[in-house]
Amino acid sequence: MFKDKENQLCVGLTFSFFGLIMLLNNLGLLISLPLRLRMEMLDWRTFLLYGAAFFLLFKQDKTFGLLLLVLGLLLRFKIIYDNISNYSFLVTPGFFIVAGLLLITLHFRKK
């Protein structure tokens, strides 16, 4: 699936960490935390930040980790996210197009 062992490690750690948080929440072990914090921990925008942390910690090329970090932080800002959500029918596909083109460009530039 992944040819790069660092990518495999980072994606595996991200999924496992997010799954662990979900499991702990579902078992009621995070009940002592405020509801707002638990909801933030399980939010998809925070998932991007978890991924960013693992990619920045374990991958030598920090480009993808920084991309996830910037995107995750931008989406955390309520004002920006509220404005984006009004145009989500354009922003979501646009994000995937830009991210895909960036990754394709980086792939060919390194060869």
Side-chain angles (χ1 to χ4, degrees):
M1 183 172 174
F2 293 100
K3 291 182 181 177
D4 184 353
K5 293 288 186 186
E6 289 177 339
N7 284 343
Q8 213 172 26
L9 174 67
C10 295
V11 171
L13 286 170
T14 302
F15 283 146
S16 297
F17 185 73
F18 193 67
L20 179 64
I21 290 173
M22 289 174 66
L23 180 64
L24 292 173
N25 186 58
N26 291 345
L27 293 173
L29 298 175
L30 299 179
I31 199 73
S32 62
L33 297 175
L35 178 62
R36 175 82 177 148
L37 178 60
R38 287 194 319 255
M39 293 295 100
E40 292 294 328
M41 290 171 67
L42 295 167
D43 190 88
W44 67 270
R45 294 170 291 176
T46 308
F47 183 77
L48 295 174
L49 296 176
Y50 298 148
F54 288 119
F55 273 91
L56 289 172
L57 285 172
F58 296 107
K59 191 143 168 61
Q60 287 193 349
D61 181 11
K62 307 294 185 198
T63 306
F64 191 67
L66 290 173
L67 176 70
L68 287 176
L69 179 65
V70 168
L71 180 64
L73 289 175
L74 282 175
L75 291 175
R76 298 305 305 162
F77 295 115
K78 187 163 178 40
I79 295 171
I80 295 172
Y81 183 69
D82 286 345
N83 289 331
I84 288 174
S85 64
N86 292 334
Y87 300 99
S88 65
F89 69 99
L90 296 174
V91 173
T92 303
F95 163 74
F96 282 108
I97 291 169
V98 170
L101 291 174
L102 176 66
L103 292 171
I104 291 168
T105 303
L106 290 172
H107 171 74
F108 285 111
R109 187 173 59 165
K110 289 186 179 180
K111 284 190 173 184

